[in-house]
Amino acid sequence: MILAVMAIFLLGPASLAQLKEIIELEVYAVSIVGPFPTAVTNLLDLTRLDLHNNKLTGPIPSQIGRLKRLKILNLRWNKLQDVIPPEIGELKSLTHLYLSFNNFKGEIPKELANLPELRYLYLHENRFSGRIPAELGTLQHLRHLDVGNNHLVGTIRELIRFEGCFPALRNLYLNNNYLTGGVPAQLANLSNIEILHLSYNKMSGIIPAGLAHIPRLTHLYLDHNQFSGRIPDAFYKHPYLKEMYIEGNAFRPGVNPIGVHKVLEVSDADFLV
């Protein structure tokens, strides 16, 4: 039984809890106001819960961990706040997690690394602080990690310290944070990377030539950091690199960007499959 209509949401907690056969619930962009509807966590057969683009407030309740069959959880574009409950790590079937454009704070919970099927993780545009858990690198299927526009600190070296980390990662967005340190040569071991977004941090040092040998790299954002030196020639010979932003650094004269620098836009439809 699939329900994707607002009416079922408005039945109230008691009625909603009785509808045990619901497997998908989509109630988005209808200006629902108030706290996260805890009664939803009684729908134990849910595989998809989409409440994005509403006006939900307060925290995600710890009862979220009851939804063991959930594959897609989309709460982006709300006004949710507080810390992410560690119980979210109990959603072992989860493949897509959208928490972006809220007011979440505190550290990104390392319990997210307990989600073996996770493929897409969107945490951007919140108020997360502290370091990005290196444990996320153990997720064997993670393709897209976006923690941009937060208050995160630390270094990339700390993030990729585990051997064989992020084996499936294609898109890594670390932009608009407070990351320091340099770009470690070991980053080139993430051989599936296509998009690497490091803009607007406090990173420094030179760009290692090995980064230019990531075979699928198409978009590289280095702008508005404190990088120095020169861009290795191999970047300019890369067969697939379409965009390379370098402005706002201390590179030597003569270093040039690559591409026409249009805004990269990726549709949600590309991921909600």
Side-chain angles (χ1 to χ4, degrees), residues 37-262:
T38 305
V40 168
T41 63
N42 293 321
L43 304 177
L44 302 184
D45 289 329
L46 274 184
T47 61
R48 181 184 188 127
L49 176 58
D50 189 345
L51 304 177
H52 84 269
N53 200 11
N54 284 294
K55 297 179 181 179
L56 298 177
T57 57
I60 298 175
S62 60
Q63 295 94 319
I64 195 72
R66 302 181 64 204
L67 302 179
K68 307 296 185 184
R69 299 183 181 182
L70 202 61
K71 294 182 179 180
I72 297 175
L73 176 59
N74 190 350
L75 302 176
R76 75 187 192 279
W77 285 109
N78 276 286
K79 298 181 179 181
L80 294 166
Q81 51 199 194
D82 212 338
V83 299
I84 303 300
E87 288 81 4
I88 206 162
E90 299 174 11
L91 306 179
K92 303 298 184 181
S93 299
L94 205 63
T95 61
H96 297 64
L97 179 57
Y98 301 85
L99 300 179
S100 51
F101 296 98
N102 278 285
N103 293 310
F104 293 119
K105 64 180 182 179
E107 296 187 352
I108 296 172
K110 63 181 180 180
E111 285 82 5
L112 291 175
N114 297 333
L115 305 176
E117 302 301 323
L118 194 62
R119 286 160 169 75
Y120 298 97
L121 178 56
Y122 289 79
L123 301 175
H124 56 286
E125 295 284 352
N126 279 287
R127 295 187 292 145
F128 290 115
S129 57
R131 286 169 165 75
I132 308 166
E135 290 83 359
L136 295 179
T138 64
L139 293 171
Q140 296 297 301
H141 302 294
L142 189 64
R143 301 176 187 176
H144 186 104
L145 174 59
D146 190 344
V147 296
N149 288 89
N150 280 288
H151 305 295
L152 299 167
V153 299
T155 67
I156 293 181
R157 188 177 301 277
E158 294 170 336
L159 178 61
I160 63 172
R161 69 175 184 264
F162 295 134
E163 184 176 355
C165 64
F166 296 109
L169 195 63
R170 298 178 185 177
N171 306 323
L172 179 58
Y173 288 76
L174 305 176
N175 54 290
N176 295 80
N177 281 291
Y178 300 99
L179 301 182
T180 55
V183 177
Q186 296 89 331
L187 190 58
N189 294 335
L190 277 58
S191 58
N192 290 311
I193 287 288
E194 299 174 7
I195 300 172
L196 179 59
H197 203 332
L198 306 179
S199 303
Y200 289 94
N201 277 286
K202 298 180 180 298
M203 300 180 66
S204 59
I206 64 173
I207 305 302
L211 214 61
H213 300 295
I214 299 177
R216 300 181 181 181
L217 189 64
T218 60
H219 294 80
L220 177 61
Y221 301 84
L222 303 172
D223 57 290
H224 298 92
N225 279 282
Q226 300 166 19
F227 295 123
S228 57
R230 58 187 300 273
I231 299 291
D233 293 340
F235 281 98
Y236 297 99
K237 299 176 183 179
H238 195 292
Y240 299 111
L241 189 59
K242 300 176 181 179
E243 300 272 349
M244 182 171 69
Y245 284 58
I246 62 170
E247 61 268 24
N249 285 288
F251 289 120
R252 293 179 183 175
V255 171
N256 297 313
I258 293 175
V260 296
H261 293 190
K262 293 181 178 178

